Structure formats: structure tokens, C-alpha cells
Amino acid sequence: MAFSHMARCLRQGFQQLSNGNMRGPPKILLGFMIMPVRQASCLEVTKNMSLLSNEKKNTAINDFKLEEPQDNPLVVLIAWMMAKKKHTQKYADIWLQKGFDVLCVTVNPWQFLWPVTGTQVVAADILKFLEQNKSYSQMMLHGFSVGGYLWGEVMVQMAHEKERYQQVLDRFAGQVWDSAADVTEIHKGVPPAVFPRNKVMANALSKYIIYHMKTFDKVATRHYVRSSQMFHTNMVRAPALFLLSKTDPIGAERSNQRVRENWESMGMKVDWKVFEKSPHVGHFRKYPKEYVAQIYGFLDAVKMNRDAQKQDDDKLKIVQ
């Protein structure tokens, strides 16, 4: 099969993955409303990064730095491949409801395939934003699928100057990983997920990914491997929550279990939720109540639930 045709298969495949797995989740969860935050402001940082907030940001960005200091906590939401805004917004709303600002990061397949000029540039931009905006003193991570790979690229860059970026690492209170995918196994998991009813196309896509990784080792594959190593050894030692499914071939339970074991061996606290039957990055759609309960319970555990903090403050005022 010609290279150009294989490339079209890849483009079509990732587009179908983006469009097919994420549909609108129910809005009423756990006895309270997860409603879209219509008044949320959106400040574009780069083509791949935008900052969402409940509050209108009357500030400009100069070299990735917000001119006005920020009081809210921040969640870095690293989306799945080619995620659409309307889909990531549903996850952002979970955090906006709790008073977080949301730094939403997306990448496309071509940035993934050519990391030196693609994902590594995005990773550098994430790091610049976090370093420049120290007023975000409390932060969380919420990564999806190949977002784990992108965060690995961020850590590769931090590892070169660990002392400089230690203040960034120290500000993370927790991390949530939804359907985390190991790039070393992506050729096995992506094709059947993209073409579940077309074995011919699935095989073609699998062969192209294998071809790409073998042919472009210096400019692609070795970077995937290094990022995977960094993800397994994780410089962010804050508690973690894994959300995955028994039936997901991409963010497979087995590969996530290896990550969990590595992190726990380093003394990290890891919470683990395996859903019975939900598609890749589709746990929220399939199990909305359980999904939100897991995240908000995790926020309680890492003392980042602002509602609970406010209740404690109110009780203290009453006692005084």
C-alpha cells in the first residue's frame, strides 16, 4: 500500500477515534448539577493551549505569563488525540464547578508522529506557562490517553534542569489519568479501536504505525520510548488516580498496572478504578456518576476540594 494512502488511513483513523468515542454525558450527577459553565471565559495561549475560567480574565498574556496574578487553583487538562472543544469542555466543567482554572492542551496526529517539531514544542509551551505563572500555587493534572506521552515529554525537559523546575513539580497536589496509553503499544491498541468493524483498515493502520516507528527512530520512536520511561518513573510524586476499563485495548489495564507498580514502589499513593465496560476515554459517558464521584473523592483525599474547605472555614467561624 502506498505511503500516501497509508497516511490518509491514519488521518481518517484518528478522526474517527476523536468523533466516535465521546458523546455528551448526562448533566445531573450525584444529586447536584454538572452544568456547562456558560459564563466561563476562554483565553487562547497558543493554538494548542487555552485557559478556561469561571471568571473573566481581564488580563493579557505576555511570553506565556498572565499580567495579573491568579488566586484560583489550576488543573492542566491534557486531552486525547484530536479532541474537540465541545468534548473537552464537559471535563473542564467538572473542574470549573470546583473553582479551578483549566489549562486545556490538545495535540493532533501529525504533532504526535513528528515529536521534535510537534509534541515537544507543545510540551515546552506547557512548561513555560507553568513556570511563568507561579501564582497558580496549587495545581492538578488530568490527562487522557496519549496525554500521558505528552506529559512524559514535559518531564523530559524538566529533567534537564530539575533544580530550575522543582518549584513547578512541588505545586502539584494530585494527578488523574484517564485511559493512559503507553506509546510503545499504540500500534496494537489504536487500529481495532479506530476500525472495530473493518479488519482490513485496522491491519493497514497497524502496519503503517509499525512502519513509522521502525523507519523514523531518530526523529520519532526514540522520543516515544524516552517519554514512556519518564512517565513510568514520574517526577511528579503527588498522589494519583487511575481511571480505566477492562475492555479498553489502548489504555490497557495491564500496561497501566505496570505504571502503578512502579509508582507505588517509589512510595507514591495510587488510587485505582477499573470500570467494567467502557470505551477508550469513554468512562465519563458510560458511568457519569461513578466518574465524577471518583474525581471529587480524590479531591477530598488530596485536600483540593474547595467546597469542603469552605465548609470547614465556615464551621471555624461559627466556633469562633
Side-chain angles (χ1 to χ4, degrees):
M1 186 176 291
F3 176 86
S4 60
H5 183 63
M6 297 290 275
R8 285 196 297 273
C9 290
L10 185 62
R11 185 187 300 113
Q12 179 185 358
F14 279 116
Q15 184 67 57
Q16 289 189 15
L17 181 61
S18 175
N19 292 340
N21 284 339
M22 303 302 301
R23 298 174 185 172
K27 297 295 190 295
I28 302 177
L29 306 174
L30 301 174
F32 54 85
M33 299 292 286
I34 295 293
M35 293 296 293
V37 184
R38 299 300 180 189
Q39 70 273 24
S41 66
C42 180
L43 190 63
E44 185 175 282
V45 182
T46 69
K47 290 182 179 180
N48 295 95
M49 292 167 46
S50 57
L51 182 66
L52 309 179
S53 178
N54 285 329
E55 307 160 352
K56 185 176 181 180
K57 298 293 184 186
N58 294 314
T59 183
I61 297 180
N62 184 15
D63 192 25
F64 292 91
K65 185 175 183 179
L66 296 167
E67 292 182 352
E68 298 292 332
Q70 305 299 308
D71 296 327
N72 295 336
L74 177 74
V75 59
V76 182
L77 194 152
I78 308 178
W80 58 98
M81 189 74 69
M82 291 184 68
K84 292 187 175 182
K85 183 178 179 180
K86 65 180 181 180
H87 297 145
T88 57
Q89 182 66 51
K90 294 170 183 176
Y91 290 92
D93 285 338
I94 296 174
W95 296 94
L96 292 170
Q97 292 279 347
K98 291 294 184 179
F100 281 76
D101 287 352
V102 181
L103 182 67
C104 187
V105 186
T106 59
V107 294
N108 61 51
W110 310 113
Q111 289 172 316
F112 172 77
L113 288 173
W114 308 106
V116 175
T117 56
T119 48
Q120 290 179 9
V121 175
V122 179
D125 290 344
I126 295 172
L127 194 50
K128 288 176 187 175
F129 183 90
L130 299 181
E131 182 186 25
Q132 294 279 18
N133 295 285
K134 295 181 176 66
S135 60
Y136 283 123
S137 59
Q138 292 182 305
M139 302 191 298
M140 298 284 292
L141 270 171
H142 192 174
F144 300 81
S145 189
V146 295
Y149 155 70
L150 181 57
W151 185 248
E153 289 283 18
V154 175
M155 290 191 289
V156 168
Q157 297 185 26
M158 285 195 286
H160 292 311
E161 297 182 81
K162 187 175 180 181
E163 185 174 340
R164 172 183 174 181
Y165 294 117
Q166 189 62 49
Q167 57 89 8
V168 174
L169 295 168
D170 292 342
R171 283 149 54 199
F172 281 102
Q175 50 193 313
V176 179
W177 293 104
D178 180 326
S179 310
D182 193 331
V183 294
T184 59
E185 298 180 356
I186 200 167
H187 68 282
K188 300 177 184 177
V190 171
V194 175
F195 299 111
R197 298 180 182 87
N198 191 328
K199 290 185 178 181
V200 174
M201 292 298 291
N203 289 336
L205 180 55
S206 179
K207 289 177 181 178
Y208 174 78
I209 295 174
I210 293 172
Y211 162 81
H212 185 88
M213 295 181 73
K214 287 183 177 179
T215 305
F216 302 107
D217 176 74
K218 290 184 178 180
V219 296
T221 308
R222 65 178 56 185
H223 299 289
Y224 303 153
V225 173
R226 180 57 179 152
S227 171
S228 179
Q229 292 170 342
M230 291 301 296
F231 190 75
H232 278 73
T233 55
N234 203 354
M235 296 173 68
V236 178
R237 299 301 171 87
L241 168 64
F242 279 84
L243 301 168
L244 54 154
S245 169
K246 292 181 179 179
T247 58
D248 180 6
I250 304 174
E253 185 176 359
R254 180 183 299 178
S255 61
N256 277 270
Q257 180 64 35
R258 290 195 295 268
V259 177
R260 176 189 184 182
E261 291 171 356
N262 286 337
W263 291 6
E264 288 181 335
S265 71
M266 296 185 294
M268 292 175 59
K269 185 179 185 304
V270 179
D271 291 339
W272 188 257
K273 174 61 179 178
V274 182
F275 295 99
E276 283 296 320
K277 191 176 182 180
S278 49
H280 188 59
V281 295
H283 318 314
F284 184 23
R285 173 169 61 88
K286 182 75 172 179
Y287 305 102
K289 293 182 180 180
E290 294 89 338
Y291 191 95
V292 175
Q294 287 291 323
I295 290 182
Y296 285 174
F298 184 65
L299 284 178
D300 286 336
V302 299
K303 303 186 185 306
M304 287 289 284
N305 189 333
R306 303 191 88 193
D307 290 344
Q309 291 174 359
K310 185 178 184 302
Q311 290 174 5
D312 290 342
D313 291 342
D314 290 343
K315 289 178 181 178
L316 181 61
K317 290 178 182 177
I318 293 173
V319 172
Q320 292 175 339

